[in-house]
C-alpha cells in the first residue's frame, strides 16, 4: 500500500473519531439536561462555556501552528477530547461538568485546525479532490456516534457506560493512527497573525463559516431537544440521526458536485436547502415533515465548510495552517455561540421560533459568497 494511502486512512480515522466524539456529546445533551434539571436558559449557559474556551484557545493554537508540525498536537488533543467526555459521563458535580465541557471545546479547536492542515498538505499528493471526503468521514463518525447513542438509549444504558465506550474506542483509534499521520508539515512562512485591517479574503471565508457553523452547531445541540420537546418523540435522536445521514451523503458527494456546477453555485444550493429545511421544520413540526426538514438541512450545511477549507489554501497572506486557525475561530464561534443563543431565544419565545435564527443564517450565505467570488475575479 502506498504511503499516501496509509496517510489518508490515518487522517480519515482522526476525522471519524472527531465526529464520533462530538455526536456522542451532542446526542446526550437531553440526558445531561435531565440529570442536572436544567432549563433551556441553564443549558444555554452551559453551552456558552464552549465558545469562551475556544476563544481562550485562539492565541495558543496560533502559537502551536508556528512551532509544531500537526501530528503530535492532533493526537494529544484527541486523547484529551475523549477523556473530557469520560468526565461528562461520570460527574454529577456542576463545576466538574463545566471544566470538562471547556476542555472538550478547547481540544475540538486544536483538532479541527491540525486535521484540516493535514488535509490541505495531503491533497497535494492526489490529483482528484479529496477534502470533501474527509468531512464526509467526519459525518460518518457522527452518524455512528448517534446510532450508538440511539441503541444504548433503547436498552437504557447509562451515559456513564456510553462515555466509557466512546473514550476507550477513541484512545485506541487515535493511538494507531498516530504512526501513519503526516510528519514535518509545519510551514516556515505565513505563521504570524497580522493585526490591523482584516484581509478581505480571510474575512469573507470567516463570515461564511460562521453562518454555516451556527446552523450546523445548532442542529448538533438542539435537534434532539427539538424532536423530544416540539415533535414529541420518545426516541429523540431520530431527528439528529436523519440530519447526520444526509450530511454524510452530501459531504461524500460534495467534491463531485463542486466539480460539476462550481463552488459559487454550490453555496447558493446550500443556502436554498437550509432555508427550505428550516421552514419545513418550523411550519410542520410533525414526525415525517420534521425528518424531511432535517434531511434538507443536513444536505445544505454539509458542503459549506469543506468548500471554505479548500479556499483557505489559496490565501496569499497566511500559511494554510494559520489561515485555517483564523477561519476556524469564526467557525467555532458560530458553532458554539449558536446553541446558547437558541437556548435564550427558546426561553423567551419558543424553541420552534428560535429555529428562525438558522433560517436567517442560511439566507446570509448568498450575499457573502457573492462577495467572496468577486475577490476571486480580481
Amino acid at each position: 500500500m502506498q504511503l499516501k494511502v496509509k496517510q489518508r486512512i490515518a487522517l480519515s480515522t482522526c476525522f471519524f473519531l472527531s465526529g464520533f466524539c462530538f455526536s456522542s456529546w451532542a446526542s446526550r445533551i437531553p440526558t445531561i439536561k435531565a440529570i442536572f434539571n436544567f432549563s433551556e436558559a441553564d443549558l444555554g449557559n452551559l453551552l456558552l462555556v464552549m465558545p469562551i474556551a475556544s476563544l481562550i484557545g485562539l492565541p495558543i493554537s496560533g502559537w502551536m501552528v508556528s512551532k509544531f508540525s500537526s501530528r503530535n498536537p492532533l493526537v494529544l488533543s484527541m486523547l484529551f477530547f475523549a477523556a473530557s467526555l469520560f468526565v461528562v459521563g461520570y460527574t454529577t458535580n456542576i463545576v466538574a461538568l463545566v471544566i470538562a465541557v471547556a476542555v472538550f471545546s478547547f481540544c475540538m479547536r486544536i483538532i479541527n485546525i491540525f486535521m484540516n492542515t493535514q488535509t490541505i498538505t495531503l491533497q497535494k499528493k492526489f490529483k482528484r479532490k479529496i477534502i470533501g471526503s474527509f468531512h464526509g468521514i467526519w459525518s460518518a463518525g457522527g452518524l455512528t456516534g448517534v446510532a450508538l447513542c440511539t441503541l444504548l438509549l433503547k436498552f437504557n444504558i447509562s451515559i456513564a457506560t456510553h462515555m466509557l465506550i466512546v473514550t476507550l474506542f477513541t484512545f485506541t483509534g487515535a493511538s494507531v493512527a498516530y504512526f501513519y499521520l503526516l510528519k514535518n508539515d509545519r510551514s516556515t512562512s505565513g505563521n504570524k497573525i497580522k493585526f490591523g485591517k482584516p484581509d478581505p479574503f480571510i474575512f469573507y471565508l470567516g463570515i461564511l463559516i460562521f453562518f454555516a457553523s451556527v446552523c450546523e452547531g445548532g442542529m448538533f445541540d438542539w435537534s434532539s431537544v427539538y424532536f423530544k420537546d416540539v415533535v414529541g418523540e420518545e426516541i429523540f435522536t431520530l431527528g439528529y440521526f436523519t440530519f447526520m445521514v444526509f450530511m454524510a451523503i452530501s459531504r461524500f458527494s460534495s467534491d463531485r458536485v463542486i466539480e460539476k456546477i462550481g463552488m459559487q453555485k454550490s453555496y447558493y444550493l446550500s443556502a436554498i436547502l437550509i432555508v427550505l429545511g428550516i421552514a419545513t421544520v418550523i411550519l410542520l413540526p410533525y414526525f415525517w415533515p420534521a425528518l424531511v426538514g432535517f434531511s434538507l438541512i443536513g444536505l445544505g450545511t454539509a458542503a459549506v465548510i469543506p468548500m471554505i477549507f479548500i479556499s483557505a489554501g489559496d490565501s496569499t497572506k497566511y500559511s494554510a495552517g494559520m489561515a485555517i486557525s483564523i477561519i476556524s475561530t469564526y467557525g467555532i464561534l458560530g458553532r458554539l455561540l449558536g446553541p446558547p443563543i437558541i437556548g435564550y431565544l427558546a426561553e423567551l419565545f419558543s424553541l420552534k421560533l428560535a429555529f428562525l435564527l438558522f433560517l436567517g443564517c442560511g439566507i446570509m450565505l448568498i450575499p457573502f459568497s457573492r462577495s467572496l467570488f468577486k475577490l476571486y475575479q480580481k
Side-chain angles (χ1 to χ4, degrees):
M1 187 183 294
Q2 290 181 296
L3 177 60
K4 68 179 183 180
V5 176
K6 292 180 180 179
Q7 291 169 334
R8 184 175 181 179
I9 293 171
L11 185 54
S12 296
T13 300
C14 291
F15 270 92
F16 182 91
L17 292 173
S18 176
F20 180 72
C21 286
F22 188 83
S23 70
S24 297
W25 148 259
S27 60
R28 279 291 188 172
I29 287 175
T31 306
I32 296 167
K33 183 173 181 280
I35 289 173
F36 288 89
N37 196 28
F38 286 151
S39 67
E40 276 77 7
D42 292 332
L43 181 58
N45 288 333
L46 175 66
L47 297 176
L48 191 59
V49 170
M50 300 180 76
I52 293 172
S54 180
L55 280 175
I56 292 172
L58 172 60
I60 298 173
S61 62
W63 173 78
M64 292 175 74
V65 165
S66 66
K67 294 294 182 182
F68 302 104
S69 296
S70 59
R71 185 175 70 154
N72 289 340
L74 171 56
V75 174
L76 187 62
S77 297
M78 190 75 71
L79 298 180
F80 277 98
F81 193 55
S84 65
L85 286 181
F86 177 81
V87 176
V88 167
Y90 276 83
T91 189
T92 56
N93 181 281
I94 187 66
V95 175
L97 177 66
V98 168
I99 293 172
V101 170
V103 171
F104 181 80
S105 175
F106 178 85
C107 291
M108 182 168 64
R109 176 188 180 83
I110 304 301
I111 290 167
N112 286 338
I113 290 169
F114 286 108
M115 280 197 312
N116 285 291
T117 299
Q118 288 230 344
T119 64
I120 291 175
T121 304
L122 191 57
Q123 173 68 78
K124 297 173 184 177
K125 298 184 179 183
F126 291 84
K127 293 182 179 179
R128 295 195 63 180
K129 291 186 182 297
I130 61 172
I131 291 178
S133 68
F134 286 118
H135 291 270
I137 290 167
W138 189 96
S139 296
L143 185 60
T144 304
V146 73
L148 174 64
C149 180
T150 302
L151 180 65
L152 296 180
L153 284 171
K154 185 175 181 180
F155 291 100
N156 292 318
I157 305 298
S158 70
I159 186 175
T161 302
H162 180 188
M163 293 307 170
L164 176 61
I165 294 170
V166 171
T167 301
L168 292 176
F169 181 71
T170 304
F171 269 47
T172 302
S175 299
V176 173
Y178 174 81
F179 296 100
Y180 301 100
L181 290 168
L182 288 168
K183 305 174 185 177
N184 303 318
D185 60 343
R186 184 177 72 88
S187 176
T188 56
S189 62
N191 283 327
K192 291 184 178 180
I193 297 177
K194 299 174 183 178
F195 296 98
K197 186 179 179 180
D199 177 46
F201 182 73
I202 296 295
F203 174 74
Y204 287 128
L205 287 177
I207 294 298
L208 286 169
I209 200 172
F210 176 83
F211 287 127
S213 297
V214 168
C215 295
E216 188 174 302
M219 291 302 295
F220 287 149
D221 288 2
W222 285 99
S223 58
S224 293
V225 179
Y226 192 95
F227 224 68
K228 182 180 179 182
D229 294 349
V230 179
V231 180
E233 288 295 318
E234 290 185 9
I235 306 299
F236 51 76
T237 54
L238 286 173
Y240 183 32
F241 184 80
T242 301
F243 171 75
M244 292 299 295
V245 166
F246 282 87
M247 174 174 270
I249 291 170
S250 180
R251 282 187 168 166
F252 279 119
S253 60
S254 64
D255 289 330
R256 292 182 181 178
V257 172
I258 292 168
E259 288 178 357
K260 190 172 183 65
I261 69 173
M263 201 175 288
Q264 188 169 9
K265 289 182 180 178
S266 295
Y267 276 114
Y268 296 164
L269 178 61
S270 295
I272 291 168
L273 290 170
I274 291 169
V275 171
L276 288 176
I278 292 296
T280 302
V281 167
I282 293 173
L283 295 174
L284 300 169
Y286 312 108
F287 182 78
W288 288 111
L291 287 184
V292 171
F294 284 175
S295 67
L296 291 174
I297 300 165
L299 289 172
T301 57
V304 178
I305 292 176
M307 287 192 290
I308 290 167
F309 284 129
I310 290 170
S311 297
D314 297 333
S315 173
T316 58
K317 188 173 183 178
Y318 295 107
S319 68
M322 185 57 70
I324 290 171
S325 178
I326 297 168
I327 293 166
S328 292
T329 301
Y330 291 85
I332 292 169
L333 283 174
R335 177 178 288 183
L336 301 178
L337 278 175
I341 292 173
I342 290 293
Y344 300 141
L345 291 174
E347 186 81 5
L348 288 172
F349 305 105
S350 70
L351 185 56
K352 187 165 67 170
L353 291 178
F355 266 45
L356 287 170
L357 175 68
F358 303 143
L359 189 145
C361 289
I363 292 172
M364 292 306 295
L365 290 174
I366 295 175
F368 279 98
S369 63
R370 290 185 65 184
S371 297
L372 173 68
F373 284 95
K374 285 181 181 178
L375 292 178
Y376 269 110
Q377 293 167 4
K378 289 182 178 180

